[in-house]
Amino acid sequence: MKIIKVFNNNVLLAEKNGHQLILVGKGIGFQQKSGMPVDRQKIEQVFAPTENKWFNLFNDLLNDVSPEYLELAAQIIQLAEKNYMSNLMSIC
């Protein structure tokens, strides 16, 4: 997996097997450049289209949405997963 574009220290666009992915992780983009390999240990969230028809829309989204919003979305998902799992555990 290689880096296509670094949005900020915690969000980057990568390519894997001809598909583009948004990767989010603490420090994943720090001191990284286009063409460099991705440090897989730093990946916390992966955002990717699931069907070929969504690739163009996905690229448009990358151009229209600030990287800070992508990072915020990843943080919200992580919090929801933590809270959801803790709620499940208290029920069981």
Side-chain angles (χ1 to χ4, degrees), residues 56-71:
N56 288 336
L57 292 173
F58 184 70
N59 283 328
D60 291 342
L61 177 69
L62 290 177
N63 292 326
D64 293 340
V65 175
S66 170
E68 289 80 17
Y69 290 123
L70 297 173
E71 187 175 346

Side-chain angles (χ1 to χ4, degrees), residues 36-50:
M36 296 176 76
V38 174
D39 183 350
R40 293 174 186 256
Q41 294 179 339
K42 292 185 177 180
I43 298 172
E44 295 174 10
Q45 294 282 326
V46 177
F47 297 93
T50 56

